[in-house]
Amino acid sequence: MTATDPAMTALAHGWSALSLLHGRIEAAVERALQAGHRLSAREYSLLDVLSRQHDGDGGHLQMKQVADAVVLSQSATTRLVTRLEDRGLLSRYLCPTDRRGIYTDVTPAGLALLDGARPTHDAALSAALDTAAADPELAPLVRVVRRGLPAPGDTAP
């Protein structure tokens, strides 16, 4: 294959469009969360992921799983956890069955912030998708994203 191969050109074009859509959505969500809640999009994602943990078997995520879920390296995730812990939004404690493991939980203050920020996040996401849908290059991607989202009022993940 060469750089001018039509298949590679289409692939590169599709990747470029996907990156553009992601960037626009992330920027819109970031602005809204910062303005309304002094929370970054990554901080919101981390709080959201950790808020879904439970106390049963396998209910707490290991730091690698958390890092994968928020699309950060383990070291960047640890720094983010530390920042949120310093703000009183997260707490850490030793795993009761494996003293080498450390669990991270969302504090009541973190849950309150997350609950307040969720409508802002969802509205910014929806508005960013609406804007992107008007762009013929991004509209097909927006349709794919929206097919994967539950309808308003649904409780599906």
Side-chain angles (χ1 to χ4, degrees):
M1 267 191 230
T2 66
T4 57
D5 184 321
M8 285 304 292
T9 302
L11 180 62
H13 180 73
W15 175 246
S16 178
L18 182 60
S19 294
L20 178 63
L21 178 62
H22 177 266
R24 286 184 183 179
I25 290 171
E26 189 171 52
V29 168
E30 181 79 23
R31 282 190 305 272
L33 288 172
Q34 283 289 348
H37 307 280
R38 292 185 26 233
L39 194 64
S40 74
R42 295 282 187 190
E43 291 168 337
Y44 175 89
S45 293
L46 181 66
L47 289 171
D48 184 54
V49 165
L50 292 175
S51 74
R52 297 173 194 274
Q53 297 181 121
H54 58 83
D55 288 330
D57 287 342
H60 274 84
L61 300 172
Q62 296 173 352
M63 197 55 70
K64 180 178 180 351
Q65 293 170 302
V66 174
D68 289 346
V70 296
V71 193
L72 289 172
S73 68
Q74 282 187 258
S75 61
T77 302
T78 299
R79 288 190 302 274
L80 184 57
V81 166
T82 299
R83 281 198 312 270
L84 293 178
E85 185 178 34
D86 290 347
R87 289 174 57 188
L89 303 175
L90 297 178
S91 63
R92 288 189 252 198
Y93 63 94
L94 290 175
C95 171
T97 59
D98 179 358
R99 292 299 199 192
R100 294 170 298 170
I102 298 175
Y103 287 158
T104 304
D105 278 337
V106 182
T107 64
L111 289 172
L113 180 59
L114 180 62
D115 287 344
R118 195 176 308 278
T120 301
H121 172 273
D122 293 350
L125 175 59
S126 182
L129 287 170
D130 289 346
T131 300
D135 182 331
E137 181 180 21
L138 301 178
L141 295 171
V142 171
R143 285 192 296 275
V144 169
V145 169
R146 284 198 164 132
R147 271 197 302 265
L149 297 175
D154 282 357
T155 58

